[in-house]
Amino acid sequence: MQKIIYKSNIEDFDIFSANIIADAIKNLLAGNSNEISIALSGGNTPMPILNILKDINIDWSRISFFMVDERCVSIEDSACNYNNINNVFFKKISSRSFSMIEDGVSYKKASENYQLLLQDNLTVLPSGVPEFDLILLGMGEDGHTASLFPNTKALEEDVSYVVLNEVPQLSTHRITLSYPVLLESKSVIVLFKGKKKEQIVEEIYADKGASYPIDKIAKEHSNIKWIIG
Ligand code: 6PG
């Protein structure tokens, strides 16, 4: 298991993170003659980082981008992860990118369609799990990651790779990648800012017994990098 924890002061966090992510992408491209696949999370933390990353010299045409999770809103909505990342990043680079949602398609059907899309576009492991080259994750102060929130059904999902998850604590539903596909990715980078979130990671690696949705990724992923600001 490879686990690396990078720490940065808040002022330099965005450029620091963009450079670590760029290096990870360049290493994946160097080690692979074909295309690579990357899944991005939404939320606030990635936006200024993607805005820096877009200007770094990378052969974006060899990368396909997918979403880690999505809000159940219109694709035009300001809360739509794909919409926000598209405006800051996808529109500015020459990569393919795939939204989880499509207006006029139910969120249940959209999650089923996305699973098929992953199986058609990614390497599928003997286990049947689609394999991402890199997944960028965030984390909430409740220890959620992707849209795997505490006490929600998707935490138990071990068959489907993309699920529609009811999140009562937010009175909403989210579409999210499930643990099997998150854990089978070649590499994962978790990035966040804030002491409260940092304490969660310290608790997990100190085996203090508290359980958070991010636990499984922290303890079971074979190649994890943390970028903490
Ligand atoms: C989302 C995300 C979610 C996010 C965390 C952290 O759709 O909100 O994918 O998992 O990564 O909530 O969000 P911040 O970066 O805004 O703190």
Side-chain angles (χ1 to χ4, degrees):
M1 172 174 183
Q2 174 174 283
K3 178 186 84 184
I4 303 174
I5 298 183
Y6 298 98
K7 295 222 179 149
S8 162
N9 59 42
I10 292 293
E11 295 71 41
D12 302 334
F13 179 79
D14 296 336
I15 186 129
F16 180 77
S17 303
N19 287 324
I20 290 170
I21 296 165
D23 289 348
I25 293 174
K26 288 175 183 172
N27 290 337
L28 285 166
L29 287 171
N32 193 320
S33 56
N34 305 319
E35 267 207 3
I36 66 169
S37 57
I38 300 177
L40 300 179
S41 290
N44 301 315
T45 307
M47 299 308 152
I49 296 167
L50 295 172
N51 191 41
I52 295 167
L53 191 62
K54 73 179 191 317
D55 298 325
I56 296 179
N57 182 18
I58 287 174
D59 183 356
W60 297 110
S61 68
R62 290 185 54 209
I63 306 174
S64 288
F65 283 98
F66 299 82
M67 299 304 294
V68 165
D69 65 337
E70 189 56 274
R71 288 81 182 283
C72 292
V73 294
S74 157
I75 197 165
E76 309 295 328
D77 195 293
S78 61
C80 172
N81 286 337
Y82 183 84
N83 185 24
N84 293 326
I85 295 176
N86 191 35
N87 291 333
V88 166
F89 188 62
F90 295 148
K91 275 183 184 166
K92 314 281 172 70
I93 59 174
S94 57
S95 296
R96 297 191 306 161
S97 63
F98 299 93
S99 168
M100 268 180 170
I101 56 172
E102 200 185 324
D103 287 347
V105 177
S106 77
Y107 298 117
K108 182 82 179 95
K109 187 75 182 123
S111 61
E112 291 160 2
N113 291 350
Y114 213 68
Q115 171 145 330
L116 297 174
L117 181 89
L118 298 185
Q119 287 167 322
D120 290 347
N121 286 277
L122 271 64
T123 306
V124 175
L125 299 168
S127 59
V129 178
E131 181 189 47
F132 281 102
D133 293 290
L134 173 62
I135 296 182
L136 295 188
L137 292 175
M139 188 176 83
E141 292 193 349
D142 59 358
H144 83 262
T145 191
S147 280
L148 299 171
F149 286 84
N151 313 312
T152 60
K153 245 168 126 269
L155 296 172
E156 310 312 318
E157 182 62 53
D158 59 4
V159 176
S160 299
Y161 310 126
V162 186
V163 287
L164 181 62
N165 191 27
E166 183 177 5
V167 186
Q169 53 265 57
L170 297 180
S171 312
T172 189
H173 286 70
R174 295 274 190 98
I175 302 176
T176 185
L177 297 181
S178 62
Y179 280 131
V181 72
L182 294 176
L183 288 169
E184 289 287 349
S185 62
K186 282 200 185 108
S187 55
V188 69
I189 297 178
V190 187
L191 51 146
F192 62 77
K193 293 185 273 189
K195 279 282 165 248
K196 201 160 177 226
K197 296 181 180 182
E198 187 172 356
Q199 274 152 13
I200 290 175
V201 175
E202 286 163 2
E203 266 183 56
I204 291 170
Y205 288 128
D207 277 330
K208 290 206 177 139
S211 89
Y212 302 94
I214 192 79
D215 270 23
K216 246 173 131 46
I217 309 293
K219 293 198 174 140
E220 298 178 25
H221 200 289
S222 61
N223 181 0
I224 184 167
K225 289 188 178 76
W226 299 85
I227 311 176
I228 300 177

